[in-house]
Amino acid sequence: LHNQVYSVANIVGLDPYWGFFHSDKYGSPALIFDMIEEFRSVIIDRLVFKCIKSGYIKPEHFSNDGDLVKLNEKGFKIYLNHYDNCLNSTIKHPRENINCTYFRCIELQLRLLANLLLDKIVCYTPFLIK
């Protein structure tokens, strides 16, 4: 998700390092972290729960690395496949009221933010779906 938001921010012309809520720690793309918050629960959290609940990701897809438990290569490939499917699935954008992919929703939100910064609109509406 970080990579998608980062690339779209660059396409839209926003500086990924100038955020609003996250620390402006040197070298940290604060704007990207800000925008990820709008999409984390909708895309990532839902996807993780779906992969586990549906049995796509199983205990054998994890491995121990010292004190860490991580997805192994097979599990990661399964996750990425479902992630790509999720990003390309179509939903109705809550503000624009158009059907589009989650990837396009990320772009629309960043363009909305850019329009706010350019004083083309007076209010930014976060990405919220039911």
Side-chain angles (χ1 to χ4, degrees):
L1 184 59
H2 178 276
N3 292 341
Q4 275 82 28
V5 175
Y6 194 100
S7 65
V8 172
N10 282 317
I11 290 168
V12 171
L14 295 171
D15 186 336
Y17 296 91
W18 287 86
F20 300 95
F21 302 113
H22 286 82
S23 169
D24 58 354
K25 180 179 169 185
Y26 180 75
S28 176
L31 177 62
I32 305 311
F33 297 143
D34 290 349
M35 294 306 295
I36 284 174
E37 294 302 327
E38 289 188 36
F39 294 96
R40 181 188 319 273
S41 63
V42 174
I43 296 174
I44 302 301
D45 293 350
R46 281 185 182 183
L47 179 60
V48 168
F49 288 124
K50 179 182 177 182
C51 284
I52 292 171
K53 185 176 180 183
S54 299
Y56 302 133
I57 301 288
K58 300 174 182 167
E60 59 265 20
H61 295 125
F62 293 91
S63 60
N64 291 329
D65 184 11
D67 292 338
L68 302 175
V69 176
K70 302 190 304 187
L71 272 176
N72 61 27
E73 187 176 337
K74 185 176 180 185
F76 189 63
K77 285 180 182 178
I78 293 168
Y79 173 79
L80 282 181
N81 182 48
H82 287 283
Y83 176 76
D84 286 341
N85 290 341
C86 178
L87 270 189
N88 292 312
S89 63
T90 303
I91 62 161
K92 186 173 289 281
H93 190 277
R95 183 177 190 276
E96 301 299 323
N97 203 27
I98 59 172
N99 290 329
C100 57
T101 64
Y102 278 108
F103 188 78
R104 176 80 168 123
C105 289
I106 293 168
E107 179 189 353
L108 290 171
Q109 289 305 115
L110 284 162
R111 290 195 185 282
L112 186 63
L113 178 61
N115 285 334
L116 176 73
L117 296 172
L118 294 170
D119 286 330
K120 292 182 178 180
I121 59 171
V122 295
C123 182
Y124 177 83
T125 306
F127 183 79
L128 299 170
I129 61 172
K130 297 177 183 178

